[in-house]
Amino acid sequence: MKVRFMFSHLKKMLSQRSPSAYRFGVALASLLVIPAALSFNSLEISQPVLKAAAEAVSVQKVWANEAAAAAAPAAEAKKDEKKGTEVWAPLAPPKLEAKDYPVVKGFNSRITVWFIAQLHLFFGAFVLAVPIFVWLIELTGVITKDERYDHMAHEFMKVAMTGFSLAASFGGLLSIALVVFYPQFMLYMTGIFGKVMIFYALAFFAESFFLYTYYYGWDKMSDGKAKTIHLSLGLGLNLAGVFLMMVSNSWASFMMAPSGLDDAGVFKGDVWAAINGHLWNPVNIHRFVANIAYGGSLTAAYAGYKFLTAKTAQEKAHYDWMGYTSFFIAIIGLLPLPFAGYWLTKEIYDYSQQMGITLMGGAFAWLFILQAVLIGTIFLSANYYLWCCLARSPGAKRYTFMIKPIAIVIVTAFLAWFTPHTLVMTSKEVTQIGGAHHPLLGKFGVMAAKNTAVNFLIVLTFLSFQIYQRSNKRAVGDDFWATNGTSVQIGLYVAGLANILSLGIYSYYLPASVRIGLSVPQVTTTLIVIVTSFILDGKIFKKSEEMGETQWGNMPVRSQYALFTLTIGFTWLMGLMGYVRSAIRQHWHVYTVFRDNSPDAFTPTLPYAASVVTVIVCVFIALVLFMFWMPMLAAKKGSSGEH
Amino acid sequence: MHFLKPIIGVLVAYLLIKIGVPFLGSLSHPGTWPVVPTAVMKMYLFFIIAGAFVASTFSEEGYNGLIGPIVDLYGNPAKAKLRLGAVAAVSLLGTWVAYQYVKPSFDAPVELRSVHPAPPSSANMWGKSFELQTLKNPFREDKANFAKNVEEGGIVYYKNCFYCHGDKQDGKGHFYSAFNPIPANFVDVGTIAMLTESFVFWRVGTGGPGLPSEGAPWATAMPVWHTMLSEEEVWKAVMFIYEQSGVQPRVTATVAEKK
Amino acid sequence: MEATKKGNSELGKILGYSLFIMLAFVGFAKFGIPLVIPELPPVEEKITGAMTQDQMVAMGDKIFHGKGTCTLCHSPVGGRAPLLDGVATRAPERIKDPRYKGKAKTGEEYIRESMKEPSTYVVAGFGKPGTNDTVSPMPQIDKGAIGLNDVEINAVIAYFQKSSGLPVTVPLPTGAAAAPAAGGAEAAAPKPAATAEEAFNKYGCVTCHKVPGIAEGGDMGPDLTKLASAAGSRKPGMSGEMYIIESISTPNAYVVKGFDPDIMPGDFAEKVTMSEMNLIVKALLGKK
């Protein structure tokens, strides 16, 4: 129904032959060419290269794996039996040697691929996240009939437009780089996922179609039924985006936890089994949630910059509001993120205890101290921004006394969280402590304390948020909730925190295998506190009055720097976690199945990875400036034309 | 004096960690003073200061209260002398910190190591191989001469070991303060009481150089005794330190099952 | 113009601040936490017939602590898996346990089975949560990332047996042909015997024993010409092959009636290479 409606609308629009519609049509057609070409880049161009690589390889007898050779005649026979049905020959992972990895002068294979993949991921994450919340904001605008939401959604989209082509360009570059530097590996991956890769490439057309109709049709389809069509276009854009993300995730998760292979590692043709691996869904969820938080923080940084350079009070107020909304989105993504991370880690343990221990107790144990510092920075800057937001509300004076206690608890929880299990000490300190085990700090090293601390962090961050939400309101109703609701909320928070704490202390004394199970009631407590308290807010302020006008734009400069800290923290952390996700495969292309025998198969050290990540983020920031500069350039031209 | 509040807060937090943590720790491990390691302390302080800064600057009054005096100090012409003092104090602090980093130190470098290394399966002493897993003290079974053997072990101990490990077996012999880490305290339940006799025999026999390569470099001054004492003397000395310190050697499951 | 200038200086400040934060992160990664250098990818260990039994045990030790990644879980830290001190002594008891589900008859077979099918016997308290100790969390050692081959698994078993103080009974690696090629550096080492006769003479067996194929022989030790039929029944549950290997490497493990212990030298495990041991066993069992 909707699709037919949409097409008839488009037809009508184009047949009007009005200049604007004509311009729109041309723009649509010409712009469709770019992503199409880019999608071609990403696969169509690489296919001949792949083929050439395949021929080269067959000469090197990499294919002459015994299992494959033995099974090939059988597959041949099968082909004769059922003509027309597709037949995938069993594919065994090749055994490579150092000479199977091309050396291109001036490039280090691994760092090149690392760079491009990370940049692709940064832009990909951004452009997948933005349409999700743009769509939600647009929907909010339709429901609340508040024009401001619609404008803001449009502006977000404008900011992200250049990001789409950058993401696609890096995607194309990545596949070419992989084929150039790791031809055998790509040959193996296409051997398994070739079928899916075609659909992946095709989905780019859907993505491009929805993207350009959604963005360029924004003003045309602004009300009534047309708005419904516009929203469906946005939904289509998001579905295509999520599809693309899940497909590419399946390759990454296959490399970590291969599935659909038999005991000897031979692929028998069931592509779905290969996609639906043990880590696929945990990675999907984790990336989806993180993308939203990350996309929100990037747009918040954009708004922060615009706020700092705004010339008029009106402009300042607008970008303050935009910054706050972006920040709000980032927090919505941030709060469930630790849980998604815990789930992923748990599944990694379930998939392979060895991989899990390598991750948490082996060479990477110290990386999680660094991760804790980064997450602490993110949480602290998020809370700081929220506290600064109180300056907007004339009624906030009533709550400022709570900020210091909150800060103390957050810092304490955070210190407990990042206390390492193995302490670094001088021999003098060992003598004083009386051994390598610290009687008090040692207790903070285990999961029981860390889970408790992270739940505290989340609950208190939500408390900061709730304080800001109510800072300018006063309940005027006289029913039960309006008069006693706040006391109930206080009781809820106290009981919830006490429960989390006692569960944490109790679980400390349990054996490790039982202890993990107790993190579930802790998380449940956190969720109950957050959800119930949020619902109660609605009941308490059913009838309420503002205590003066919210002063949008009345924000100190340092609050915007909190937003920048948040964004940089997020981006850098994403880069770091990209390193560790890839590095826990150790010397395997596909874990346990396809060994990496390139000279770069060793696992890089943490400071080395941190330096590489920093350089990548610097390049990314430069490109982001370009991305943000594009719409401003367009706006400038537009304004000069009007004069 | 608004700006003093966060500074006092940081100081209180510092003292809590500096003194409170070791105090609480010493309650559960009497006789020790479990300080917070410097490396951890630095990170704690960094985030405590960041937290204090953040918690006192979110509002405009707080920010001005904290930053105002500093701006005043560096900008007010009337406070030239005070400013000079402040600049000097900051410079001196920087100098002191820099000096702490570069001054020569006799401390062993910071290290991560396990307290009881995993023993090898066999050790070579006196030109032959000992299977540590199944090795037993040959004098343990000899009940008739037990007192005599322990006494002979005591002579070996006082001739060789007592200078470091002490008269009371508490690791506080004459030379103990010269060693870092200090000699093992046999009375503590965390040392020989946790180990089998064969493990102690190996540690005595091969000393510091016999420790496994994992966890290296090892900081221990224990000599390689098998080049100086006979096999019998080492066994008797091992028996003596267990007898004298009043703890029982650990019996492994393997040995227990064989009985 | 003014606005652009302001925008640029503001942008400069923001970029400088961002760079500062990132450098702080890198600084912490470099100076704040100790440097851990991840291990290099494991090199495939080659176990050949040219090794002596002791060398094979040492190789098993190396695999156990290295490539096999066993000590990730089988270590006192964390208590994720049972400790393996003296596992070879406990193994025969395990087979008699009513919870045991496998087919092993000897301790050696039990250990091998535990590595290949970890769930046949799960030590109480170490099963996957919720399975009541019926499913083991241990990966199959001959598959996946660890992927030890049979010879490597045998070396690990040999290490367990040796460290438990038991005689080593595992099957010997063949592949003697690979030895000369690999042993270029060890040119000084005596060439391994090529035939059983050579081996018997090289180690002086005929000084005390009568052996098949050689007419002359001493009578200090048992007559070995009839061993082919007797070896299999000397010790219950032990094959003839196992018995012979045990008797050469640990002579006192079983002393034939009428002969004294401690007569035969106990150091053959350190001298006889695996390929020679193979030749000797085959000759004594009458196989060609």
Side-chain angles (χ1 to χ4, degrees), chain A residues 281-540:
Chain A
N281 278 322
V283 168
N284 281 339
I285 298 286
H286 194 276
R287 278 196 171 163
F288 183 79
V289 176
N291 282 357
I292 291 179
Y294 173 68
S297 77
L298 259 189
T299 43
Y302 169 75
Y305 170 69
K306 295 290 271 184
F307 174 86
L308 290 180
T309 53
K311 278 163 272 174
T312 63
Q314 199 188 358
E315 217 178 313
K316 244 183 151 85
H318 172 72
Y319 284 112
D320 185 18
W321 184 64
M322 185 174 174
Y324 173 72
T325 315
S326 308
F327 169 81
F328 176 74
I329 293 161
I331 290 299
I332 295 284
L334 177 64
L335 290 185
L337 204 49
F339 303 133
Y342 275 128
W343 187 45
L344 176 59
T345 316
K346 184 185 165 292
E347 293 298 319
I348 288 176
Y349 261 97
D350 281 358
Y351 166 69
S352 159
Q353 181 166 261
Q354 200 198 359
M355 193 186 230
I357 296 173
T358 307
L359 179 67
M360 299 304 295
F364 298 105
W366 289 97
L367 179 134
F368 285 87
I369 298 300
L370 180 58
Q371 189 215 24
V373 168
L374 279 153
I375 294 178
T377 310
I378 289 171
F379 267 99
L380 210 58
S381 54
N383 276 289
Y384 186 56
Y385 181 77
L386 278 171
W387 301 336
C388 285
C389 284
L390 289 174
R392 291 186 198 126
S393 309
K397 289 252 159 24
R398 298 171 295 161
Y399 295 105
T400 43
F401 77 95
M402 290 176 69
I403 302 304
K404 270 181 195 154
I406 292 178
I408 290 171
V409 179
I410 284 183
V411 169
T412 313
F414 174 62
L415 292 188
W417 192 30
F418 99 113
T419 303
H421 189 46
T422 308
L423 300 166
V424 186
M425 25 194 179
T426 62
S427 51
K428 194 178 160 203
E429 283 158 357
V430 177
T431 320
Q432 280 177 307
I433 292 166
H437 182 82
H438 196 287
L440 199 66
L441 298 186
K443 292 182 168 47
F444 294 120
V446 295
M447 224 49 205
K450 303 211 180 292
N451 273 335
T452 310
V454 81
N455 277 293
F456 261 69
L457 274 180
I458 289 170
V459 169
L460 283 159
T461 306
F462 186 76
L463 178 64
S464 293
F465 172 69
Q466 225 176 7
I467 286 174
Y468 171 68
Q469 284 291 304
R470 62 164 59 192
S471 62
N472 208 24
K473 284 187 209 158
R474 184 162 45 201
V476 291
D478 51 3
D479 57 352
F480 172 76
W481 291 115
T483 45
N484 300 315
T486 308
S487 314
V488 175
Q489 277 179 322
I490 293 170
L492 189 71
Y493 269 101
V494 171
L497 290 178
N499 190 32
I500 291 170
L501 188 63
S502 48
L503 278 172
I505 294 172
Y506 171 60
S507 69
Y508 177 78
Y509 294 99
L510 294 175
S513 50
V514 191
R515 189 190 293 158
I516 295 171
L518 270 181
S519 62
V520 177
Q522 280 187 326
V523 173
T524 319
T525 312
T526 303
L527 289 178
I528 287 174
V529 169
I530 288 179
V531 171
T532 320
S533 190
F534 189 72
I535 293 170
L536 281 179
D537 253 11
K539 284 191 180 278
I540 294 167

